[in-house]
Amino acid sequence: MAINLRFAVAAKAISDEARAAGLLVPGFRSPPRVVGVDRALRRRPGAPPAVSVRVNGRPIDSVVADMVEGVLVANGLRDRDDLRAQLLAAVAA
């Protein structure tokens, strides 16, 4: 499966699981607007945050990990290993 399609499938799985856990669900996009970074989080008033992840030239596991980390950061939950594992498992299912 092409990396962009895998990104889209992962975004759907992570979003569904985050929503089920009662978390704020950010939008996902690629690539980040900031040159030289793998992940960026953008917040705008009145809109959900956007997690931007560099996809090209990276293993899908790294891309998914950055997507999950983006959800946790957007929700102010960096230290929630239980949620991290739950969101990662949603992609593996």
Side-chain angles (χ1 to χ4, degrees):
M1 185 180 323
I3 189 75
N4 289 332
L5 181 56
R6 293 175 82 182
F7 175 80
V9 170
K12 171 98 170 79
I14 293 167
S15 296
D16 290 348
E17 192 65 27
R19 193 172 293 106
L23 300 176
L24 171 69
V25 179
F28 292 101
R29 55 170 292 155
S30 180
R33 291 182 178 188
V34 179
V35 177
V37 301
D38 290 334
R39 179 186 74 234
L41 179 69
R42 182 174 176 196
R43 297 181 192 268
R44 292 179 292 161
V51 176
S52 300
V53 179
R54 184 173 64 85
V55 172
N56 291 330
R58 300 181 67 208
I60 190 63
D61 292 342
S62 296
V63 171
V64 168
D66 277 344
M67 294 168 77
V68 166
E69 220 39 53
V71 171
L72 295 177
V73 171
N75 283 277
L77 303 170
R78 285 185 176 195
D79 297 330
R80 291 292 305 269
D81 290 337
D82 57 330
L83 284 174
R84 184 177 289 106
Q86 182 180 343
L87 295 172
L88 288 170
V91 177

